Every structure is written in C-alpha cells, then in structure tokens.
Amino acid sequence: MFSTSLLLLLAAASCVHCEELTQPGSMVVRPGQSLTIDCKVSYSVTSYRTDWIRHPAGKALEWIGYITSSGSTAYSDKLKSKFSFSRDTGTNTITLRGQNLETEDTAVYYCARYTGTYFDYWGKGTSVTVSSAPQLAPSVPFVVSQCSSSPDGFVTLGCVTSGFFPESLKFSWTDDSGKTVSDAFQYPAVKAQGADKYTAVSHMRVKPENGKTTTLTCGVEHLAGKQSQSITVQGPTKPIIRLGQLDQSIMCVIEDFHPKDLNVKWKKGDSEVTGRDWITSGNYMGLNKVVSVFDINGTSPNENTVYTCEVTHGGTTHTEKLSPRDHFSLKINPPQAKDLFIKGKAVIECILTGDSRKEVEVVTMSWKVGSQSPATRDVHVGGVTQAGSVFTKTSTLTLEESTWFSGAEVICSTSRTSEKISVKRGGQRPSIIIYKPDMSISDSDTGSLVCVVSSSDLGNVYVMWKVNEDPYTEGNGMTSIVKKDNKSVVLSYLTVNGQQYNSAKITCAVKDANIQNDVQPRTNSTSTKELPVTYPGSYLQCHKEIPEEDEFSSLWSTASSFIFLFLFSLIYSTVLSLSKIK
C-alpha cells in the first residue's frame, strides 16, 4: 500500500473546503540531540490518518510512518527505532519525535493527510538541519534591477543574500505601503564549496506606473537573523527634447525618459530625411538620454527651412522644430570643488558655441544672481576660440561661496536663449567617514581610500583630499548611491602611492549645501575600518553620471551583468564575490 501512496503523492482532490496542516518552517538540531515537530491540522485527527514523510536533499522521499484515527501507529522498519508519533485530540495536533539524530537525518519533514488512497493535503514542510556548525546570519541583501523594462512594461528585480547557515531561509518582497508582493520566485539555496555557508536568490517582476517611482524592499528571514534592502524603480517618463545646430549638423537631444525604447525620425520641411542616432545612455535615477544627428551635408539651408525631430515613445509622438537662425548653443557649468576650497569662491562658466565667428563675437552674454545683476568686476568674458569649424566664447562669473550655497538661482542669457543653475540644498550637515583597508602595501604599489558622505537629506557635495599638510587635491572619482533607509550617499575615492598609503595622514574634506548655511569644510582623517556591511546591500543603478570613468563605475556595470547571469542560470558561484564590497 505504501508504494501505491508514493505514486499518488502529487494527486489532488477537488474540494469546496480545503484543509490546512501547519508546521514550523525550519529547525537546527545538534548531532545526538532529540527533535520535536508539531503539525496542527484543521481536520479532526480522530477522523483521518496522518502520515510523516521526509525528503533528504538530492534523494528520494522517505516514508517515516503514520498515526491512525484511532491513535495506533506504524513505522518504517528503517526508522522505527528513531521516530515516534503522538497526538492531542483537543488541539488536533500530531507530533513527531526523534532521538539521537545524525547528520544523515537532515531533511525536510512533511505531515500529510491520508484518505485511504492518496495524500490529499500536505504541510509546507519543516527544514531540519542536523549539524554542530554554528548558525550564521545572512548578509544584507544585494538588490539589482533590470536596466530597462520589457516590451510588456514589466521590470525584473533580483535579490541575493549569502554567508548563512543553515540553508533554510525565506525571502519576502514588499511595496511602498508595506504590502507583500506575491509575484516573486525563490530559488533553492546553494552551498558554497568547502564551507558550511549558503547563497540564495529571489526575483520578481513589477510594472511601475507612468511617471512614478516605486520602492520595493527585499527581506530575508533566517534563524540567525533578518535583513532587508530597498530599490527604487522608475516608471515610464516622457522625453524632454532640445534641438540645436552645430556647424553643418543639427542635433536632437532627447533626455530624461523611461523606458529607453523610442524611435526618432527627421523631417526637412515636409520631407522625411535620414539622421544618425547615437547610443542611448542612462543616469543614476534610471532615466535615459539619446542624441540624434542630421547632417546638412555642407549646404547652407534656406532661411525658411524648418527641421523637425519627431520622437515616438510609449506610443506617443513628440516633436521639436528648428529653423536655421537658431544655430548656436549655450551651456552653463557648475562651480568646481577646487575653487570652493582653495579660493573660497564659486566660479561658474557660461559657454556659447556656434559655427559663425562673427555671430559668436557680437553676441552679448549677461548674468543674473537671483533678481540682481552681479558687479562688473565679478564677470570675465574671454575671446573667441576655434576648434575645427566650431567657435566658442566663455563668460565666467565669480561668486562668494556663501552666495552660491544660499541657493540663489544663477542665470546666463543672450538675446535668444538662457540657461540657469542653482545649488541643491540639503538639511543638516552630513556625516563623513574615511575608510582605509587594514593592510600594508609595498612602497612601489598604489592603494585606494574611500570617503563616504551620507545624510537623509543631502544637498550638493564637493569633496577634496589632503595628504599630510599638502595642498588640497581632487580625488580620482566620485559617485552617488541610495541606502535602504533613504539616506543619500556620496562616495569619493583617492589613489596614493604605497609610502603615503602606509604612513601619511590622509584627510577627506567636504563642503555641502545645507540648511545651516555652514560653508566651513567638514573633515575626517584616515581610519583602518572596513566598509560596513550595509554597503553591499545598497542597490546598483544601471548607469551613473560620473565626471570620468573610474573603478567604481566599472564595478557597478560588471556587478549588474553577473547578477542577472546568476539569476537565470543559477550559477551562484559567479556572484559570491559581489555579496560584499570591501
């Protein structure tokens, strides 16, 4: 009869009233100790037989035994000396007890109701681990998102945690409101080679609303502790389109849109013409940018010709038009950290670019700070320079740093167009931590240090470094991330030679736009601490706007590629190194 039952383990009867068998999720038992598992059922234990079955990893199901409606028991010959059953008819609870457990008894233990022909209801199973190894808590989850949505509008998210023992672990996903998201899948945990540690992965799909962001939190629950991490997903956003003429080309700049799929068409007058699209790029917020170019082919356009850039995104078409007389561009650059630190000044550049030297020369560039015009002594206009067929003129405005950090709007204008800029002000001054791995290197090598600037309301941040009492120097790169508690974090790193790394005092100095209007630099000096475990869980963005390519941005890109390979191929070992950034 038992072999027949095994053949029907997965059979299910149609029912109006479904029964429940509730048992604990996981347990850890040391070798030689006893085991007790309660299975509380919704039916009467005096009306049905209840069986116990276990499933060791990688092996076949094993029948342990049963207790009948009358209370009599039967056991497998192999396991009858190790397990026994009892029941409580008042609470409808069936209890399995084991003694002198061994590592071979590690398995998932199920209680199941038997109808006389098949098992129609099962408990969810109790994962029992028999081991003398200590319990290890999981790492902070490592959460990543698909860089662009699928054609159906859904985005796939992945969540990885590692370093835990025993293997039983539960993932959960919640939305902004704390509601559990059911459309998620959890892969079986995988044991690291040569170690009693496990790695596990979960993924889910979400469809963000148009123009809105959705925050999803991945949580992991384990016998040794709980962890969670959040990620923000950008919903579809319509593009912003700008046209400009540069020499004999017209550029259509399309930015701040999501998802990244769109179509660009060009028209000269009423006739469709062919342009060239440059590669789509993205920023740290998940919004995209693409540039399309139409070449006039060396022929001066008729002054009545109108060029149209037609962009179709998300089923909607957007157009922007340009006539030949709009053939120069204006760009405003924010102040640099070195001027703020060394001079105590905010130096802002306004750059005029055109394809005609005469027109660039005669154009007047003016400034406004708030509603006031700056003093003449604070403005400097350079001469016209040429690079190929492009002519450029730069106007420079120098402000006191206190004026810049106050949040005053700065506008650079010509008779045809204008650009504006202002600092983003935050709340209280941020915390600053500088990390230096606790190790020595040879004088001929180089080493890197990381400065972490964080706040729950972080404004624009400017970071400089000092080695001993040398002048301020800029770092080798800077990037921004967002932690699970919604704190904004700016990371700056500096690479020094081995001698400086081993013995010099290295200082990270920060100026930031804050509500206190405090413009004095805040500093911190060399520490030998390791990066805290919260940083591996900080979610990865698909792109970041960083002044120049650096080691961090390369790491982000590589991480995303390996995580998604990990999710869908289940080759977990390829991402073990990504679960902790040091």
Side-chain angles (χ1 to χ4, degrees):
M1 180 177 66
F2 168 59
S3 58
T4 303
S5 299
L6 282 182
L7 291 175
L8 297 170
L9 283 175
L10 299 180
S14 61
C15 65
V16 175
H17 173 70
C18 295
E19 307 291 355
E20 292 184 358
L21 293 82
T22 304
Q23 52 184 120
S26 61
M27 305 177 72
V28 178
V29 180
R30 300 182 72 85
Q33 289 186 338
S34 60
L35 168 71
T36 300
I37 304 176
D38 289 330
C39 175
K40 183 174 177 58
V41 303
S42 60
Y43 56 87
S44 173
V45 296
T46 60
S47 300
Y48 290 91
R49 185 181 108 182
T50 304
D51 288 47
W52 285 91
I53 301 158
R54 73 179 184 180
H55 188 197
K59 297 181 180 180
L61 292 165
E62 290 183 292
W63 179 74
I64 302 173
Y66 62 73
I67 183 168
T68 66
S69 58
S70 64
S72 61
T73 58
Y75 301 95
S76 160
D77 291 339
K78 175 183 175 182
L79 301 173
K80 63 183 179 181
S81 63
K82 180 165 290 190
F83 295 101
S84 63
F85 310 135
S86 63
R87 69 178 185 174
D88 183 337
T89 57
T91 60
N92 287 321
T93 301
I94 306 294
T95 300
L96 174 147
R97 290 183 175 86
Q99 58 184 355
N100 297 322
L101 265 67
E102 305 171 273
T103 56
E104 291 79 8
D105 295 313
T106 296
V108 179
Y109 287 73
Y110 296 94
C111 53
R113 189 176 82 168
Y114 185 65
T115 65
T117 308
Y118 55 84
F119 300 106
D120 58 349
Y121 294 107
W122 290 65
K124 292 184 178 180
T126 300
S127 175
V128 176
T129 301
V130 184
S131 174
S132 58
Q135 295 182 21
L136 299 175
S139 66
V140 174
F142 189 89
V143 188
V144 292
S145 73
Q146 184 180 350
C147 289
S148 61
S149 59
S150 303
D152 58 3
F154 280 87
V155 176
T156 299
L157 308 178
C159 184
V160 184
T161 186
S162 63
F164 58 89
F165 181 85
E167 68 176 299
S168 179
L169 176 138
K170 181 182 179 181
F171 281 95
S172 64
W173 291 86
T174 53
D175 60 18
D176 307 73
S177 64
K179 181 181 177 181
T180 299
V181 180
S182 59
D183 187 18
F185 182 82
Q186 177 173 339
Y187 293 93
V190 173
K191 187 176 182 180
Q193 188 172 1
D196 285 331
K197 294 182 179 180
Y198 287 84
T199 295
V201 173
S202 174
H203 84 260
M204 66 160 295
R205 300 179 76 226
V206 62
K207 189 173 185 178
E209 295 183 45
N210 290 343
K212 296 183 179 180
T213 58
T214 301
T215 300
L216 282 303
T217 299
C218 173
V220 292
E221 185 174 350
H222 186 264
L223 289 171
K226 299 179 180 180
Q227 300 281 10
S228 63
Q229 187 60 266
S230 299
I231 186 170
T232 299
V233 181
Q234 176 67 53
T237 305
K238 69 179 183 180
I240 297 173
I241 307 170
R242 293 184 297 166
L243 258 65
Q245 184 177 344
L246 184 64
D247 195 14
Q248 294 298 305
S249 297
I250 299 177
M251 303 177 69
C252 183
V253 181
I254 309 153
E255 54 192 346
D256 291 348
F257 62 91
H258 181 85
K260 71 176 183 179
D261 298 320
L262 54 69
N263 181 60
V264 181
K265 289 183 180 180
W266 282 94
K267 288 183 178 180
K268 180 179 179 181
D270 296 327
S271 302
E272 187 170 323
V273 292
T274 302
R276 294 179 290 111
D277 295 343
W278 294 356
I279 190 169
T280 301
S281 61
N283 63 23
Y284 73 98
M285 296 176 62
L287 301 178
N288 299 283
K289 176 179 179 179
V290 68
V291 177
S292 184
V293 180
F294 173 68
D295 295 320
I296 303 175
N297 297 323
T299 303
S300 298
N302 184 288
E303 64 178 15
N304 296 319
T305 303
V306 175
Y307 295 91
T308 303
C309 178
E310 187 176 281
V311 179
T312 302
H313 178 259
T316 304
T317 299
H318 313 268
T319 60
E320 192 72 18
K321 300 178 184 294
L322 177 75
S323 60
R325 58 181 176 273
D326 298 321
H327 63 284
F328 67 79
S329 62
L330 198 64
K331 179 183 179 183
I332 190 168
N333 290 331
Q336 299 298 305
K338 61 182 180 181
D339 293 318
L340 291 167
F341 277 87
I342 297 172
K343 301 177 183 177
K345 306 285 186 181
V347 180
I348 305 169
E349 290 184 335
C350 185
I351 303 172
L352 176 68
T353 303
D355 60 353
S356 167
R357 173 183 285 274
K358 182 177 180 181
E359 183 160 359
V360 171
E361 284 178 342
V362 300
V363 169
T364 299
M365 303 164 71
S366 61
W367 292 91
K368 288 277 189 181
V369 181
S371 60
Q372 303 295 317
S373 297
T376 304
R377 65 176 181 275
D378 295 331
V379 177
H380 174 73
V381 181
V384 176
T385 60
Q386 181 177 2
S389 58
V390 178
F391 299 91
T392 300
K393 182 168 67 175
T394 301
S395 177
T396 302
L397 171 65
T398 301
L399 299 176
E400 294 296 331
E401 62 178 349
S402 59
T403 302
W404 171 249
F405 282 124
S406 72
E409 185 176 70
V410 178
I411 303 174
C412 176
S413 303
T414 67
S415 60
R416 298 184 187 175
T417 187
S418 66
E419 291 287 330
K420 59 185 178 182
I421 191 172
S422 63
V423 75
K424 176 191 173 186
R425 300 185 71 199
Q428 300 297 319
R429 300 216 64 183
S431 63
I432 302 167
I433 305 175
I434 179 171
Y435 293 103
K436 172 187 174 185
D438 188 11
M439 62 182 183
S440 295
I441 61 177
S442 66
D443 288 353
S444 60
D445 288 337
T446 59
S448 294
L449 300 91
V450 178
C451 182
V452 181
V453 184
S454 63
S455 171
S456 59
D457 186 10
L458 191 63
N460 286 145
V461 170
Y462 304 86
V463 181
M464 296 288 281
W465 293 80
K466 265 192 175 185
V467 178
N468 291 324
E469 297 304 319
D470 292 345
Y472 281 117
T473 183
E474 293 183 292
N476 298 97
M478 193 162 73
T479 189
S480 301
I481 58 177
V482 178
K483 292 169 60 181
K484 68 177 181 180
D485 53 7
N486 292 323
K487 276 193 175 182
S488 297
V489 178
V490 171
L491 303 177
S492 175
Y493 80 99
L494 176 72
T495 300
V496 296
N497 62 46
Q499 185 175 5
Q500 293 171 325
Y501 185 89
N502 293 326
S503 59
K505 176 184 177 182
I506 301 175
T507 301
C508 174
V510 174
K511 289 191 176 186
D512 66 289
N514 56 82
I515 197 172
Q516 300 161 284
N517 293 321
D518 185 354
V519 298
Q520 295 303 312
R522 176 166 285 193
T523 63
N524 205 343
S525 298
T526 309
S527 167
T528 57
K529 297 177 182 177
E530 293 183 350
L531 282 170
V533 294
T534 53
Y535 284 94
S538 296
Y539 69 82
L540 295 186
Q541 303 288 354
C542 298
H543 304 282
K544 287 188 168 58
E545 288 187 336
I546 305 175
E548 56 187 23
E549 184 70 17
D550 52 47
E551 295 170 358
F552 281 99
S553 56
S554 177
L555 176 61
W556 299 142
S557 177
T558 303
S560 291
S561 300
F562 276 103
I563 287 295
F564 276 102
L565 179 63
F566 180 90
L567 284 171
F568 297 110
S569 67
L570 293 182
I571 307 176
Y572 299 156
S573 61
T574 61
V575 295
L576 290 178
S577 62
L578 297 179
S579 65
K580 189 172 184 182
I581 301 172
K582 293 190 176 181

